[in-house]
Amino acid sequence: MESCKEVWDEFFKRYYWEQILGLANQYPDTKSLWIEFGNLERFDMELARELLDFPDGVIRHATESLRGLDLPADTEITEAHVRIEHLPELTPIRDIRSTNINKLIAVTGLIRKATEVRPKVTNAAFKCARCGDITYLKQEEYVFDEPFECGNDACGRKGPFKLMPGESDFIDFQKIRIQDSPDEVRPGEQPQTLDASVVEDITGQVSPGDRVVIVGILRSYQRVTQQGKSTAFDLILETVSIEAEEKGFEEIEVTKEDEQKIKELSTDPDIYTKLIGSVAPSIYGYSEVKEAMTLQLFGGLPVANPDGLKIRGDIHVLLVGDPGVAKSQCLRYSRRLSPRGVFTSGKGSSAAGLTATAVKDNEFGGGRWTLEAGALVLADMGLACVDELDKMEVGDRSAMHEAMEQQTVTINKAGIHTTLKARCSVLGAANPKYGRFDKYDPVGKQINLPPTLLSRFDLIFIIRDEPNTAQDTAVSAHIFNTHIAGELALRRKYVKNSGITEEQVTEAMSTIKPVFDVEFLRKYIAYARRTSYPLIQPEARKMLNDFYLSLRKLGEDPDTPLPVTARQLEALIRCAQASARTRLSSQTTIEDARRVIRIVTVSLNQVIRDPQTGNLDSDLINTGMGKSQRDRLRIILEAVRSLQGGNGNSVPEDLLTQTLEKEGLKKEYILDAIAKLKTAGDLIEVSNNRFRVV
Ligand code: ADP
Ligand code: MG
């Protein structure tokens, strides 16, 4: 049966009569009739096929039929639209080819950019300056057309013409750009993008970061450059329907057999070690870091309080370390394991940076304000791996605070007020302030990140690269094994009669082979996050509580700095929940508590133990300077002041160090502190090695 108005009349009456009455009732507040493709197939297979191949004509017939239906009580729906949804097939953005042009296709992806909704002229009225007549000109899609000559035959001159907005027709218009979801992009590949135009009642319904399915007609149009028309064509999807999808871990498919295997493994007493052993096996050592990465992948449980306040379940982990200690490698590995993992560098490869931006975009938005999603928004419901976090753009710093704790990104700029979702965990990597760690200085002070941001990380690990023969030998052996296994595999593959057996390769690979492969581990994690919601046992609760209170107690003595804040308690709870989830447990047990206390202690010891007093001092992350360090700087300033006496003579460095050494300070501390005071501007170097207090 061929598409024509009558066939559609029949279809609407049979399948959608009630919906159409509803639409008429609410018209013109709603203008769209949503049509299931499946219903059309059931009604007429051939018509459904025709719709896919020749959407222009078929949709025109459908629309004419809908608008002309004989409705009760004189209601008119003359501007209603048909919105086809749920096509049988999704076309990945990277598979779009010229054969798809002018066909109806469905694509899915994340919204990367969206312009604001603005009017666009569809039928422009031009007034001829010579005769005053008006010429109407339908506007083709993307380039503004002006009349060639006056429509008044008696005049027929070539203008000039003036656009008359009052007499022209406008529709709401929005342009959006979608890109492949991180899940569909293989590591190392750039996500592909596609632009789509959205008009009328379906504009303004989606935001950057949303996952959408768009059904539309693929158009190509000629690129126009300053040199004139080009032979290159650009693609744009003319949206017929758009639907935002709720994101979850459902996208990773877990079959019945997988589920069986996962459940079996979850009861294995060694499952925790096996899971950790599957995270970044090619990297030697770092057991606590890998443990933290594992817990992060499983995640804690988010809390939605009845008062509307939310507490995140996502665990944020930060690795700070000397160069070349495999930080970036760790990030890359986690990104592969997490559903919706995004890898980015703080240095900012895109204009949107880490969170989101609003810019006046000429190339994409034709000068309209455009909202673009950054890494944390694109990683919504996933993991954002941010390398070189210390080098992030200044503009990102303040937005990161909100993104990491409230898990939203708010944009208030140029009349755009909107909040985007950023429900992701952050795995960050950073170098110390001066490139390498100075072992005498508190670590907290050497991390080049604002203390307020630092305190949002649940676990921070310090990776130092200090020569240590035993360790170096082991790392070297491990790296050699990795390379030798690689060499054997390549030689067996490409060299004829290499004499290398499959067994030899497997044998060589065995040291670096993960217990579970990436594919299976992803399924295990997705399954756990979907199904495991443990309750904390009273003993576990007591243990975590006691540990937290004992840390707080250290701060009661007026001379010791305040050790830990309530943020660390939340971190403990989240990590314990994640630990229980690794075995799909219904309970967070005392074992989980013990495990988490061990990891948190390692992290705290590395980060907030003052290297001079040995005390835990969360001021080191919360203000960037520990108590004893502040004291030391003060002592040195005092010494300079008393040595320079009333007349303000400058003090030679030798004299200063000798005096202070007598008071029991180490020379390297003193020199280091002098340098710091100098940078801070508290101490002036009057001439070579002579100082004065400001
Ligand atoms: P970073 O980001 O910390 O500067 P990279 O992740 O770029 O360092 O790592 C540098 C290289 O050193 C990588 O090829 C990594 O595999 C190797 N490497 C460093 N430490 C280890 C280790 N402990 N085990 C295995 N390889 C390592
Ligand atoms: Mg690196």
Side-chain angles (χ1 to χ4, degrees):
M1 205 188 300
E2 217 172 286
S3 166
C4 61
K5 217 176 135 296
E6 287 70 39
V7 183
W8 281 99
D9 284 354
E10 165 87 20
F11 172 69
F12 286 140
K13 281 181 186 144
R14 254 213 261 160
Y15 283 82
Y16 284 97
W17 195 241
E18 247 165 63
Q19 285 90 327
I20 292 169
L21 292 182
L23 170 67
N25 227 339
Q26 311 222 332
Y27 189 85
D29 291 337
T30 51
K31 286 187 173 174
S32 291
L33 178 70
W34 298 84
I35 295 173
E36 280 288 331
F37 188 82
N39 283 338
L40 193 62
E41 271 184 321
R42 262 185 293 282
F43 172 70
D44 183 340
M45 201 64 182
E46 244 173 84
L47 180 59
R49 283 250 73 87
E50 207 183 325
L51 171 64
L52 294 179
D53 288 337
F54 307 99
D56 287 293
V58 178
I59 291 178
R60 198 178 60 242
H61 289 149
T63 312
E64 277 167 11
S65 154
L66 174 68
R67 292 175 180 181
L69 285 173
D70 211 357
L71 296 168
D74 317 324
T75 22
E76 295 246 317
I77 49 170
T78 50
E79 282 176 21
H81 299 280
V82 287
R83 308 278 178 210
I84 317 282
E85 55 177 353
H86 303 142
L87 298 198
E89 231 178 84
L90 286 174
T91 310
I93 295 174
R94 61 175 171 279
D95 289 351
I96 290 176
R97 293 291 175 271
S98 48
T99 49
N100 297 117
I101 289 172
N102 295 328
K103 303 276 193 288
L104 190 71
I105 56 172
V107 290
T108 179
L110 290 184
I111 297 190
R112 163 125 220 166
K113 289 183 177 189
T115 66
E116 46 184 352
V117 180
R118 282 291 175 265
K120 169 182 151 119
V121 65
T122 49
N123 192 15
F126 294 94
K127 189 173 187 172
C128 174
R130 312 263 176 145
C131 71
D133 247 36
I134 291 204
T135 304
Y136 289 94
L137 198 60
K138 288 246 184 274
Q139 292 297 316
E140 288 310 322
E141 273 310 301
Y142 306 100
V143 191
F144 186 61
D145 254 350
E146 287 182 84
F148 181 65
E149 53 184 25
C150 181
N152 177 2
D153 286 341
C155 170
R157 280 172 288 191
K158 293 189 166 49
F161 300 100
K162 188 168 180 269
L163 178 69
M164 308 298 286
E167 268 109 297
S168 305
D169 296 328
F170 291 89
I171 52 169
D172 285 330
F173 173 82
Q174 184 182 31
K175 193 171 165 191
I176 60 185
R177 173 169 291 172
I178 60 172
Q179 73 174 41
D180 290 322
S181 166
D183 278 347
E184 281 129 40
V185 186
R186 281 180 290 267
E189 268 181 15
Q190 274 299 101
Q192 301 276 317
T193 63
L194 178 69
D195 292 349
S197 64
V198 187
V199 296
E200 303 198 61
D201 58 329
I202 51 174
T203 51
Q205 301 195 337
V206 290
S207 323
D210 283 354
R211 185 188 181 80
V212 293
V213 176
I214 300 182
V215 173
I217 306 173
L218 189 71
R219 304 284 188 203
S220 67
Y221 65 98
Q222 199 165 12
R223 200 175 288 174
V224 183
T225 64
Q226 271 157 354
Q227 285 79 41
K229 290 187 175 176
S230 135
T231 50
F233 279 69
D234 283 326
L235 293 174
I236 191 155
L237 191 63
E238 217 174 273
T239 303
V240 170
S241 80
I242 184 165
E243 186 186 18
E245 285 189 326
E246 187 39 48
K247 289 173 270 198
F249 286 92
E250 278 70 23
E251 289 138 49
I252 293 186
E253 202 198 337
V254 178
T255 62
K256 274 266 163 283
E257 294 90 82
D258 292 332
E259 185 177 342
Q260 186 64 31
K261 195 173 160 201
I262 290 170
K263 279 188 175 157
E264 248 173 62
L265 279 167
S266 70
T267 57
D268 179 340
D270 288 335
I271 183 67
Y272 188 64
T273 353
K274 285 185 179 169
L275 289 169
I276 297 171
S278 304
V279 172
S282 64
I283 295 168
Y284 177 83
Y286 300 156
S287 51
E288 278 91 11
V289 172
K290 289 184 188 175
E291 221 174 321
M293 282 160 63
T294 309
L295 293 179
Q296 180 179 46
L297 288 168
F298 282 85
L301 306 178
V303 185
N305 288 321
D307 61 4
L309 267 186
K310 290 192 184 117
I311 304 177
R312 67 180 154 95
D314 292 303
I315 297 169
H316 300 319
V317 179
L318 177 65
L319 313 177
V320 191
D322 292 326
V325 294
K327 298 183 298 297
S328 304
Q329 291 287 67
C330 289
L331 263 55
R332 275 177 224 286
Y333 217 98
S334 260
R335 175 226 174 281
R336 284 173 65 201
L337 289 176
S338 170
R340 225 165 293 107
V342 171
F343 183 95
T344 187
S345 167
K347 264 188 212 145
S349 37
S350 88
L354 295 178
T355 52
T357 50
V359 286
K360 248 193 155 80
D361 195 324
N362 279 321
E363 185 259 326
F364 172 77
R368 285 188 198 83
W369 281 95
T370 301
L371 202 55
E372 178 166 4
L376 268 66
V377 173
L378 291 175
D380 181 38
M381 298 296 280
L383 172 71
C385 299
V386 187
D387 208 355
E388 320 267 343
L389 190 64
D390 49 326
K391 296 174 192 72
M392 74 179 143
E393 308 282 325
V394 184
D396 274 331
R397 292 205 165 188
S398 51
M400 279 292 279
H401 288 96
E402 181 197 348
M404 288 180 69
E405 204 63 67
Q406 276 73 45
Q407 305 205 292
T408 53
V409 174
T410 304
I411 301 269
N412 270 316
K413 191 174 171 187
I416 299 182
H417 305 283
T418 187
T419 300
L420 306 176
K421 295 188 190 98
R423 297 158 296 180
C424 62
S425 6
V426 176
L427 175 59
N431 285 115
K433 206 175 242 164
Y434 305 108
R436 286 193 85 82
F437 274 114
D438 168 353
K439 61 179 160 197
Y440 300 111
D441 233 12
V443 165
K445 232 204 114 186
Q446 299 185 60
I447 307 176
N448 196 12
L449 285 172
T452 42
L453 192 57
L454 221 46
S455 71
R456 281 165 171 77
F457 283 96
D458 298 88
L459 294 167
I460 302 175
F461 292 94
I462 304 301
I463 312 178
R464 286 210 173 93
D465 188 19
E466 286 168 347
N468 166 335
T469 315
Q471 166 85 5
D472 293 346
T473 315
V475 172
S476 165
H478 192 84
I479 293 180
F480 265 116
N481 283 343
T482 316
H483 284 262
I484 289 167
E487 284 172 3
L488 284 174
L490 284 176
R491 198 171 165 80
R492 179 175 149 73
K493 190 163 172 203
Y494 293 111
V495 178
K496 275 208 190 94
N497 307 323
S498 63
I500 295 165
T501 62
E502 179 87 51
E503 288 72 44
Q504 278 172 291
V505 177
T506 319
E507 164 71 24
M509 291 278 180
S510 67
T511 45
I512 49 162
K513 200 177 171 322
V515 188
F516 307 127
D517 59 28
V518 170
E519 219 44 48
F520 181 73
L521 193 53
R522 280 168 67 95
K523 287 180 179 174
Y524 193 105
I525 292 165
Y527 186 78
R529 292 188 70 132
R530 230 182 276 169
T531 59
S532 169
Y533 295 91
L535 301 171
I536 193 158
Q537 284 190 331
E539 309 87 73
R541 180 192 155 146
K542 184 171 181 313
M543 184 179 245
L544 291 177
N545 179 59
D546 290 351
F547 175 69
Y548 170 68
L549 292 181
S550 72
L551 288 175
R552 291 286 292 179
K553 209 169 176 65
L554 291 177
E556 269 179 18
D557 176 352
D559 274 346
T560 41
L562 180 74
V564 204
T565 68
R567 277 227 173 91
Q568 267 98 4
L569 178 60
E570 285 183 353
L572 282 167
I573 297 171
R574 278 192 281 270
C575 292
Q577 291 166 338
S579 163
R581 281 178 133 185
T582 59
R583 50 171 201 285
L584 310 177
S585 173
S586 58
Q587 289 180 323
T588 306
T589 63
I590 201 152
E591 293 313 317
D592 296 311
R594 206 169 278 142
R595 186 179 279 168
V596 165
I597 288 173
R598 177 173 47 77
I599 303 169
V600 169
T601 310
V602 170
S603 165
L604 287 178
N605 274 343
Q606 287 182 342
V607 183
I608 68 175
R609 195 173 285 282
D610 192 310
Q612 289 163 63
T613 63
N615 288 337
L616 287 182
D617 183 356
S618 79
D619 272 359
L620 286 175
I621 19 181
N622 290 333
T623 66
M625 205 186 268
K627 194 162 182 300
S628 73
Q629 160 123 29
R630 280 195 301 267
D631 291 348
R632 171 158 58 111
L633 296 181
R634 212 173 47 232
I635 292 170
I636 288 165
L637 278 184
E638 281 310 314
V640 179
R641 210 168 268 137
S642 76
L643 286 171
Q644 71 187 23
N647 48 17
N649 282 336
S650 58
V651 181
E653 188 179 282
D654 294 348
L655 177 64
L656 184 60
T657 45
Q658 278 160 24
T659 318
L660 287 165
E661 272 179 314
K662 269 183 222 142
E663 291 188 25
L665 285 174
K666 287 212 188 79
K667 181 152 181 182
E668 51 207 14
Y669 284 175
I670 303 167
L671 293 180
D672 180 56
I674 290 175
K676 292 214 163 68
L677 288 166
K678 242 167 54 186
T679 337
D682 293 329
L683 203 60
I684 294 179
E685 185 161 6
V686 186
S687 58
N688 246 356
N689 293 331
R690 295 183 73 92
F691 298 99
R692 200 169 66 201
V693 178
V694 186

